[in-house]
Amino acid sequence: MSIRTVHRRISALLDRAQVSTRLHLGWHAAQHGWLDGYGSAAGSATSRGGAD
């Protein structure tokens, strides 16, 4: 995949999420279930097996 294609796809995702940075895009993707195994509950300690 060319770097131009990667830039174009990231730009489309930024527009779709209505965010301006890749960091915010990552947060948005995790919060909205765009990533396998992540969702709105992914940040809780119990879903990751953390301490109570």
Side-chain angles (χ1 to χ4, degrees):
M1 181 179 306
S2 76
I3 192 70
R4 186 175 174 188
T5 299
V6 172
H7 284 226
R8 189 179 70 245
R9 289 185 178 189
I10 290 173
S11 180
L13 289 170
L14 289 166
D15 289 343
R16 182 175 177 184
Q18 298 179 342
V19 299
S20 58
T21 67
R22 290 179 294 161
L23 180 65
H24 197 178
L25 178 61
W27 178 87
H28 180 89
Q31 292 299 307
H32 290 88
W34 291 8
L35 307 174
D36 290 341
Y38 291 90
S40 59
S44 70
T46 56
S47 68
R48 292 182 291 177
D52 293 326

